[in-house]
Amino acid sequence: MSGIRFEGVSVAYDATTVLDRLDLTVEPGEVMALLGPSGSGKTTALRAVAGFVRPAAGRVLIGGRDVTALPPHKRGIGMVVQQYALFPHMRVQDNVAFGLKAQKAPKDGIPGRVAEALEMTGMASYARRYPRELSGGQQQRVAIARALAIRPGVLLLDEPLSALDAQLRSGMLAELARLHRELPDVSILYVTHDQVEALTLADRIAVMDRARLQDCGTPQQLYRAPRTAFTASFVGNANLLPVTVADSGALFAGQPLELDRGRALPGASATLCVRPHLLGLGAGPNALTGTIAEVQWRGSTHRLYVDVAGHRIKADLPELRETPALGERVTLHFAPRDAVLLAAGGLSGDSRGEGVG
């Protein structure tokens, strides 16, 4: 079985709704990332699929079968959580075999399934070790092998890389992408608050906030043409500027801007999204002049924070040979095609649009 469907799923604890009428489909073989801040409802949605929470309303279907009332062990899912959850007194091979034994798989077939899962995750040579003899990344590979050993139609990943350092996280992302290519029929629901993980791994991203689904689309759709200010700020970094719609574009702090994408009625309030890496330094179209508030060196790039008409705008530029001084007047510019006009966002004051990452 493969594929997941949420049909109006709501979950509440006492009087608090933690997941509100979620409608979402994960297609067979698809990687769907649930992306959002803490408390947005993404982990609750995953736990509803796993069977660890019972919806107050709605249905959960796996492979077209209603599993809402089924216990976890009868749902045919594999699950990997943040803290590995390995049994410290068991060797690697026994940890991987645990799920198979719990499902009462034929005893003579278990060693082969364990070996297959360990080989798939690159841990075959560690079968006799204990978890304490492994690094964090290796322990997470064992946890993934244990989930894969039961040959699930659905794989649930709950912040699986958050306990790893940056270098291990990057390597594990590549490993998960490889596993997905080798298991094209397995649907993966991946919970994360890290937009880099979501952009790297997911076929589609469901953006969650305040217990509700806010947006859903491919990484390219959500990054290049977000539909809401929340999506724009959470999927990548964004400058979100309050503007008034004009006949030929928009007005920002009284200054006319030319735009190619997004339209609304003239005179309406709206939000303009411009990604930091699409801003240039110096004269050009849609020039914005202000003063340097902060300069950050990031190795191959510099990030400039520029105060323009009371709004702080960030620009990510290739490494500068000479950096402007604090308080220096500079001009940023962007091409009309590189900005997106969004619905009214109610922004005021410091419009940083600081997403994750």
Side-chain angles (χ1 to χ4, degrees), residues 225-247:
R227 289 190 287 268
T228 68
F230 181 82
T231 299
S233 64
F234 211 84
V235 181
N237 265 286
N239 293 294
L240 301 176
L241 307 177
V243 297
T244 302
V245 179
D247 290 330

Side-chain angles (χ1 to χ4, degrees), residues 19-105:
L19 189 64
D20 191 6
R21 293 167 291 176
L22 176 62
D23 287 300
L24 183 67
T25 298
V26 183
E27 300 293 345
E30 181 179 38
V31 178
M32 174 73 78
L34 296 181
L35 178 67
S38 297
S40 60
K42 57 188 188 298
T43 294
T44 300
L46 181 138
R47 289 172 62 83
V49 177
F52 298 147
V53 297
R54 182 73 180 267
R59 301 194 305 163
V60 177
L61 294 90
I62 297 177
R65 180 178 63 146
D66 187 348
V67 299
T68 311
L70 288 181
H73 68 277
K74 291 187 177 181
R75 298 192 178 202
I77 58 171
M79 187 168 180
V80 180
V81 297
Q82 177 180 341
Q83 296 298 335
Y84 322 136
L86 300 179
F87 297 107
H89 63 287
M90 291 184 181
R91 298 182 189 272
V92 163
Q93 60 190 17
D94 298 317
N95 267 283
V96 175
F98 181 82
L100 291 167
K101 293 177 179 178
Q103 289 188 343
K104 295 182 169 51

Side-chain angles (χ1 to χ4, degrees), residues 303-333:
R303 171 168 288 184
L304 305 185
Y305 288 88
V306 182
D307 285 336
V308 179
H311 299 272
R312 181 166 291 192
I313 298 175
K314 52 184 177 286
D316 291 337
L317 307 169
E319 186 178 12
L320 302 171
R321 292 186 179 277
E322 295 184 7
T323 58
L326 296 183
E328 183 178 337
R329 296 279 290 178
V330 297
T331 297
L332 302 172
H333 68 270

Side-chain angles (χ1 to χ4, degrees), residues 177-248:
R178 178 186 61 79
L179 282 172
H180 177 48
R181 291 191 297 270
E182 294 182 6
L183 301 166
D185 297 327
V186 176
S187 298
I188 299 176
L189 191 60
Y190 189 103
V191 166
T192 182
H193 66 272
D194 188 316
Q195 52 100 3
V196 173
E197 292 180 18
L199 291 171
T200 301
L201 191 63
D203 298 310
R204 286 191 300 150
I205 299 172
V207 182
M208 306 284 294
D209 186 42
R210 291 174 292 182
R212 290 189 174 184
L213 177 66
Q214 301 293 327
D215 211 340
C216 186
T218 68
Q220 293 81 3
Q221 288 170 339
L222 297 184
Y223 188 84
R224 294 173 181 165
R227 289 190 287 268
T228 68
F230 181 82
T231 299
S233 64
F234 211 84
V235 181
N237 265 286
N239 293 294
L240 301 176
L241 307 177
V243 297
T244 302
V245 179
D247 290 330
S248 59

Side-chain angles (χ1 to χ4, degrees), residues 128-150:
R128 298 285 300 167
R129 294 196 185 185
Y130 288 97
R132 64 177 177 274
E133 299 173 317
L134 305 176
S135 68
Q138 289 169 337
Q139 290 183 52
Q140 193 61 296
R141 287 170 187 260
V142 174
I144 293 170
R146 181 176 58 190
L148 295 177
I150 64 172

